[in-house]
Amino acid sequence: MSEHNGATPLVASQHAAVRTMQCAGHRLDLSRPALMGILNVTPDSFSDGGLHFAIDAALAHGRRLAEEGADIIDVGGESTRPGAAPVSPEEELRRVLPVVRALAEEGLLVSIDTRHTATMRACLKAGAAMVNDVNGLRAEGALAACADSDAAVCLMHMQGDPLTMQQAPSYTDVVLEVGAFLAARAEQARAAGIGPERLCLDPGFGFGKTVAHNLALLRQLPLLAALGYPLLIGLSRKSLLGAMTGKGADDRVHASVAGALLARQRGAAILRVHDLAATRNALAVLAAVEK
Ligand code: HH2
């Protein structure tokens, strides 16, 4: 790919298509789409805030996601929706640690969705097999915390921070800039000792992006897939789907399923979703057609 608008050029990787990802004691099969079920242990997440805030409710929902076919349970204790105020690592850990520990002890592949180094370290010790960081391991000590483990890592792109990121997102070329950022973060992670078999990348839909930016990224997802790492995609129930359909966050299941299918067709390896069963059924149809 040629250099464009001053952004660092994206360089397509020489790797063959990645078929598995190493997540501590788990091997994630990527020869078919993997599903990451969302478990928000928060009072204020944009679509399911408060529903799974109590530990028992969180555990029950985590088990339900697994029964419905989630390969990964992504546990989060801080809403990163646009405008959300940050949560202290202490409060975040109080919310997520018992949930991470219990679900990991049950043998599930648990991911911790956090941008805080202290939360990463504690959850990895408690059995988390993946760190999902919307901040791309840019916090102090985050790269080392993950390098000291054998867990997988999702490096996500975000412009700005959740409090202000949707006020004025701005790019010269969103696809090239997001791709260059992800390639650079992957290099940093590898330099820190996190092997490529443990990495996946995420363009971060809705994180400092207008609807037009999100659409450009979705249309050109194959360019990001060409970086050579599995792509994790989270479109589920997001406001960009509301902008297209006029539906509120509690009525975006159909649009979310459409988004998951479109992402899969453009190279997504892992789909981060709230609605497991609906997504799984749609992917079964896609798999049958593509056989
Ligand atoms: N989106 C959200 C949170 N974490 N992680 C990755 N890798 N990719 C995403 O797109 C992503 C993410 C936001 O969604 P949700 O968890 O449902 O809401 P909230 O942040 O309000 O808890």
XYZ file of all heavy atoms in Angstrom, residues 36 38 40 42 44-48 74 78-81 113 132-134 154 156 202 204-205 207 232-236 238 272 274, ligand 1:
276
model
N -17.344 -13.340 21.374
C -17.018 -12.801 22.688
C -18.324 -12.242 23.274
O -18.904 -11.296 22.718
C -15.965 -11.701 22.539
C -15.715 -10.904 23.805
S -14.499 -9.572 23.514
C -13.015 -10.324 24.154
N -20.522 -10.210 25.980
C -20.276 -9.022 26.808
C -20.934 -9.168 28.174
O -22.139 -9.426 28.266
C -20.837 -7.768 26.103
C -20.166 -7.577 24.739
C -20.665 -6.529 26.983
C -20.828 -6.520 23.850
N -21.155 -6.836 31.325
C -20.874 -5.542 31.949
C -21.320 -5.551 33.409
O -22.514 -5.566 33.695
C -21.599 -4.417 31.191
C -20.922 -4.091 29.864
O -19.690 -4.081 29.775
N -21.707 -3.837 28.840
N -21.564 -3.269 35.632
C -21.568 -1.801 35.790
C -23.002 -1.344 36.061
O -23.952 -2.004 35.653
C -21.119 -1.114 34.480
O -22.015 -1.536 33.436
C -19.698 -1.444 34.108
N -24.008 1.489 34.703
C -24.286 2.552 33.739
C -23.853 2.261 32.312
O -23.700 3.196 31.516
C -23.590 3.838 34.215
C -22.070 3.650 34.366
O -21.606 2.499 34.403
O -21.362 4.666 34.453
N -23.633 0.977 31.944
C -23.274 0.697 30.546
C -24.425 1.127 29.644
O -25.581 1.143 30.066
C -22.967 -0.792 30.356
O -21.720 -1.074 30.927
N -24.106 1.443 28.375
C -25.116 2.147 27.569
C -26.323 1.290 27.227
O -27.408 1.822 27.025
C -24.469 2.731 26.301
C -24.192 1.718 25.216
C -25.119 1.492 24.208
C -23.016 0.992 25.185
C -24.884 0.566 23.196
C -22.760 0.069 24.183
C -23.703 -0.147 23.192
N -26.175 -0.032 27.157
C -27.354 -0.824 26.761
C -27.833 -1.780 27.842
O -28.966 -2.238 27.806
C -27.067 -1.610 25.479
O -26.297 -2.746 25.766
N -26.964 -2.137 28.782
C -27.354 -3.141 29.785
C -26.901 -2.735 31.186
O -26.765 -3.578 32.064
C -26.778 -4.510 29.407
C -25.264 -4.470 29.211
O -24.672 -3.374 29.349
O -24.677 -5.528 28.935
N -16.312 -11.544 28.190
C -15.569 -10.284 28.369
C -16.187 -9.515 29.541
O -17.269 -8.944 29.418
C -15.660 -9.460 27.085
C -14.714 -8.272 27.092
O -13.590 -8.401 27.610
O -15.099 -7.209 26.556
N -16.144 -0.905 33.977
C -16.174 0.546 33.746
C -16.818 0.800 32.392
O -16.338 0.292 31.378
C -14.734 1.111 33.725
C -14.677 2.590 33.447
C -13.259 3.115 33.133
O -12.504 2.420 32.418
O -12.925 4.201 33.611
N -17.902 1.553 32.377
C -18.497 1.897 31.090
C -17.557 2.850 30.354
O -17.047 3.801 30.949
C -19.858 2.569 31.274
O -20.308 3.055 30.021
N -17.356 2.567 29.057
C -16.534 3.465 28.236
C -17.403 4.105 27.157
O -16.897 4.522 26.121
C -15.343 2.707 27.617
O -15.815 1.485 27.029
C -14.290 2.403 28.658
N -18.717 4.149 27.424
C -19.619 4.809 26.465
C -19.235 6.296 26.369
O -18.671 6.856 27.324
C -21.080 4.666 26.910
C -21.404 5.530 28.106
C -22.747 5.268 28.714
N -22.992 6.246 29.777
C -22.416 6.239 30.979
N -21.541 5.297 31.289
N -22.696 7.166 31.862
N -11.973 -6.593 30.441
C -12.082 -5.376 29.636
C -11.700 -4.204 30.526
O -12.518 -3.732 31.326
C -13.529 -5.256 29.138
C -13.766 -4.051 28.236
O -12.876 -3.192 28.127
O -14.849 -3.978 27.637
N -8.508 -7.176 27.353
C -9.132 -6.395 26.281
C -9.063 -4.937 26.693
O -9.787 -4.497 27.579
C -10.589 -6.844 26.108
C -11.361 -5.940 25.160
O -10.773 -5.320 24.267
N -12.665 -5.860 25.355
N -8.173 -4.184 26.035
C -7.906 -2.808 26.479
C -8.317 -1.804 25.400
O -7.666 -1.714 24.349
C -6.422 -2.650 26.811
C -6.106 -1.268 27.380
O -7.036 -0.450 27.533
O -4.918 -1.007 27.652
N -9.359 -1.026 25.683
C -9.805 -0.009 24.711
C -8.741 1.063 24.507
O -8.809 1.843 23.565
C -11.154 0.637 25.133
C -12.265 -0.406 25.217
C -11.032 1.424 26.417
N -6.168 -7.902 23.398
C -6.806 -7.156 22.311
C -6.372 -5.707 22.413
O -6.603 -5.045 23.434
C -8.327 -7.245 22.388
S -9.108 -6.232 21.106
N -6.984 -2.085 21.096
C -8.030 -1.327 20.402
C -7.606 0.098 20.136
O -6.839 0.676 20.903
C -9.316 -1.336 21.229
C -10.557 -1.022 20.401
S -12.013 -0.638 21.393
C -11.677 1.084 21.770
N -8.328 -4.271 17.114
C -9.719 -3.808 17.034
C -9.719 -2.324 16.662
O -9.108 -1.507 17.370
C -10.368 -4.026 18.416
C -11.829 -3.620 18.476
O -12.294 -2.885 17.595
O -12.505 -4.035 19.429
N -12.010 -0.246 17.015
C -12.700 0.558 18.035
C -13.890 1.340 17.505
O -13.902 2.582 17.546
N -14.898 0.630 17.030
C -16.089 1.304 16.511
C -16.733 2.167 17.595
O -16.970 1.698 18.710
C -17.084 0.278 15.953
C -16.642 -0.267 14.625
C -15.933 -1.459 14.541
C -16.891 0.455 13.465
C -15.495 -1.938 13.313
C -16.453 -0.009 12.242
C -15.760 -1.207 12.159
N -15.417 4.738 19.110
C -14.469 5.334 20.060
C -13.721 6.492 19.387
O -12.638 6.314 18.837
C -13.488 4.283 20.577
C -14.081 3.340 21.588
C -14.817 2.233 21.183
C -13.927 3.558 22.958
C -15.381 1.373 22.113
C -14.485 2.705 23.895
C -15.216 1.610 23.478
N -10.785 -8.219 16.083
C -11.926 -8.307 17.002
C -12.806 -7.092 16.698
O -12.304 -5.969 16.651
C -11.426 -8.282 18.441
C -12.416 -8.574 19.568
C -11.666 -9.069 20.810
C -13.282 -7.391 19.945
N -14.099 -7.324 16.497
C -14.997 -6.235 16.094
C -16.179 -6.134 17.054
O -16.865 -7.124 17.326
C -15.509 -6.474 14.646
C -14.329 -6.453 13.662
C -16.572 -5.444 14.267
C -13.528 -5.171 13.616
N -16.405 -4.920 17.550
C -17.521 -4.667 18.464
C -18.448 -3.599 17.905
O -18.163 -2.403 17.995
N -19.536 -4.057 17.293
C -20.546 -3.115 16.776
C -21.823 -3.194 17.602
O -22.711 -2.348 17.475
C -20.880 -3.479 15.319
C -19.814 -3.158 14.273
C -20.081 -3.937 12.982
C -19.787 -1.668 13.993
N -21.895 -4.198 18.462
C -23.147 -4.590 19.101
C -23.874 -3.429 19.784
O -23.329 -2.789 20.685
C -22.833 -5.685 20.125
O -24.006 -6.267 20.610
N -24.437 -0.494 19.174
C -23.816 0.838 19.272
C -24.640 1.916 18.569
O -25.447 1.626 17.693
C -22.384 0.789 18.740
C -21.483 0.093 19.770
C -20.024 0.199 19.460
C -19.234 -0.409 20.627
N -17.835 -0.623 20.301
N -17.559 -9.255 19.153
C -17.918 -8.926 20.546
C -19.388 -8.518 20.566
O -19.753 -7.481 19.999
C -17.019 -7.787 21.038
C -17.246 -7.388 22.483
C -16.292 -6.264 22.902
N -16.458 -5.934 24.300
C -17.374 -5.098 24.778
N -18.228 -4.516 23.949
N -17.462 -4.848 26.065
N -23.571 -8.604 22.500
C -24.474 -8.806 23.631
C -25.422 -9.978 23.354
O -25.788 -10.707 24.267
C -25.356 -7.565 23.853
C -24.612 -6.306 24.190
N -24.110 -5.460 23.225
C -24.305 -5.736 25.386
C -23.526 -4.419 23.810
N -23.622 -4.566 25.110
N -16.799 -1.573 23.025
C -17.162 -1.326 24.288
C -16.387 -1.785 25.367
N -15.259 -2.514 25.158
N -13.758 -3.548 23.661
C -13.373 -3.812 22.413
N -12.269 -4.549 22.177
N -14.095 -3.376 21.319
C -15.216 -2.627 21.462
O -15.829 -2.221 20.435
C -15.663 -2.311 22.792
C -14.888 -2.800 23.889
C -18.416 -0.547 24.557
O -19.539 -1.395 24.615
P -20.218 -1.938 25.972
O -19.259 -2.722 26.783
O -21.447 -2.670 25.586
O -20.689 -0.630 26.729
P -20.101 0.195 27.963
O -18.748 0.684 27.572
O -21.106 1.296 28.142
O -20.030 -0.735 29.151
